[in-house]
Amino acid sequence: MRIWYSIRVMDSLYIIIPAYNEEANIQKVLEEWYPVAERHSGDGASRIVVVNDGSRDNTGRILEEYRASHPLLIHLDEQNRGHGGAVLRGYHYAVEQGADYVFQTDSDGQTRPEEFEEFWKRRKKFAMVIGSRKGRKDGASRVFVTKVLRMVLRFCFRADVQDANTPYRLMEAGQLEDNLKQIPADANLSNVLLSVLYIKRRQPVCYLPITFRPRQGGKNSINLKKIVKIGWKALGDFRRLNRQWSRVYRREQKDERNS
């Protein structure tokens, strides 16, 4: 008699968390998100990856102490490249390691891990499931910046993205890897550019409302003055990239028609 064995292979999940001078928050953030990586262990292949972006406080030490007893944690050290560069380092690492799905959140404790499961349930239907921040608690100035960003993206890319820079996004790794090829290595707003690419390339995107708490501790390293400076530089980058991506998009449409 022949006996058939069914082997169930779970999807692996890499949780990417950039961190800069987050000694006040990083321990609690790890305690909140590490169980998510354990729960979706992907037959032992899932990881929580913290990209330490040149922190000058005790963030690195706390990460090493936590890693000693938590084998799913990966601690990557990065020279200070800013949030966008740290996020890109994490994304590239995840796809290089063979992740099936990549999720990104931040290290300031503003997001809630208990809202993740609704994202995970939709992973097979959408290339990206992204949070839409409702009733934000991080200040009126940042809400205003998000609204301005949405208008800028409409103008530069002819793309309407509800909340382009949300640090709460789940992405299928294969399509993420393909989209990363179009993102410059020095991009400050890499998550924004990725959001636009998914829309421009008509890849299925789902928005889910998320809670966005006040920063849980420490001081935000990005103030309004820096946001304006980054935004002004990004405006020129957006218009240049739109021309580049439009050529790619037209070529893809032509290939689809000829296939």
Side-chain angles (χ1 to χ4, degrees), residues 64-80:
E64 284 302 298
E65 291 176 353
Y66 197 87
R67 187 173 68 90
S69 57
H70 295 81
L72 299 186
L73 173 62
I74 302 294
H75 170 198
L76 300 180
D77 274 321
E78 178 76 27
Q79 293 183 353
N80 184 238

Side-chain angles (χ1 to χ4, degrees), residues 14-136:
Y14 272 56
I15 300 173
I16 308 301
I17 303 178
Y20 175 70
N21 290 348
E22 290 289 1
E23 63 181 6
N25 293 311
I26 195 63
Q27 178 84 23
K28 187 173 187 299
V29 167
L30 287 172
E31 290 171 353
E32 288 185 337
W33 284 99
Y34 193 87
V36 178
E38 287 184 313
R39 191 160 58 247
H40 300 285
S41 61
D43 294 332
S46 296
R47 296 290 184 270
I48 182 167
V49 181
V50 179
V51 183
N52 183 18
D53 189 37
S55 296
R56 293 174 290 179
D57 62 1
N58 290 315
T59 299
R61 178 183 61 77
I62 295 169
L63 287 170
E64 284 302 298
E65 291 176 353
Y66 197 87
R67 187 173 68 90
S69 57
H70 295 81
L72 299 186
L73 173 62
I74 302 294
H75 170 198
L76 300 180
D77 274 321
E78 178 76 27
Q79 293 183 353
N80 184 238
R81 296 173 55 197
H83 185 275
V87 165
L88 284 178
R89 170 79 187 282
Y91 290 161
H92 282 289
Y93 179 84
V95 297
E96 288 164 5
Q97 297 300 311
D100 294 313
Y101 290 89
V102 181
F103 177 79
Q104 188 267 320
T105 192
D106 280 348
S107 54
D108 49 18
Q110 291 185 271
T111 60
R112 303 183 69 96
E114 56 266 33
E115 296 177 337
F116 175 79
E117 295 307 319
E118 290 302 316
F119 285 67
W120 189 249
K121 290 175 184 177
R122 290 163 172 79
R123 70 191 185 281
K124 300 292 187 181
K125 295 182 179 180
F126 299 95
M128 178 169 64
V129 187
I130 185 169
S132 180
R133 293 171 283 189
K134 303 296 184 183
R136 293 173 57 173

Side-chain angles (χ1 to χ4, degrees), residues 182 200 239-254:
Q182 305 298 329
K200 292 282 284 185
R239 303 192 71 174
R240 174 178 55 82
L241 284 169
N242 185 48
R243 292 192 294 271
Q244 174 184 318
W245 291 350
S246 293
R247 290 193 294 270
V248 172
Y249 181 56
R250 286 195 295 269
R251 187 164 62 247
E252 289 176 345
Q253 287 185 313
K254 183 178 179 180

Side-chain angles (χ1 to χ4, degrees), residues 171-228:
M171 297 163 286
E172 190 276 323
Q175 291 178 83
L176 171 61
E177 182 178 17
D178 188 45
N179 284 329
L180 285 172
K181 296 173 184 176
Q182 305 298 329
I183 306 296
D186 60 348
N188 283 316
L189 299 176
S190 52
N191 270 346
V192 173
L193 296 175
L194 276 172
S195 298
V196 170
L197 264 178
Y198 279 83
I199 300 299
K200 292 282 284 185
R201 301 179 88 173
R202 298 183 182 179
Q203 295 170 338
V205 174
C206 174
Y207 296 94
L208 292 179
I210 62 167
T211 305
F212 205 65
R213 301 178 287 191
R215 165 175 274 275
Q216 299 299 288
K219 184 179 179 181
N220 200 319
S221 61
I222 303 294
N223 55 35
L224 188 57
K225 183 178 180 180
K226 288 184 179 179
I227 290 173
V228 172

Side-chain angles (χ1 to χ4, degrees), residues 138-188:
D138 56 340
S141 62
R142 287 178 173 264
V143 175
F144 174 74
V145 167
T146 298
K147 291 180 179 179
V148 171
L149 176 62
R150 186 174 184 178
M151 290 189 294
V152 169
L153 296 180
R154 284 174 177 166
F155 172 73
C156 291
F157 293 106
R158 304 294 188 267
D160 187 21
V161 188
Q162 285 187 28
D163 200 345
N165 206 26
T166 302
Y168 207 102
R169 57 187 65 213
L170 177 67
M171 297 163 286
E172 190 276 323
Q175 291 178 83
L176 171 61
E177 182 178 17
D178 188 45
N179 284 329
L180 285 172
K181 296 173 184 176
Q182 305 298 329
I183 306 296
D186 60 348
N188 283 316

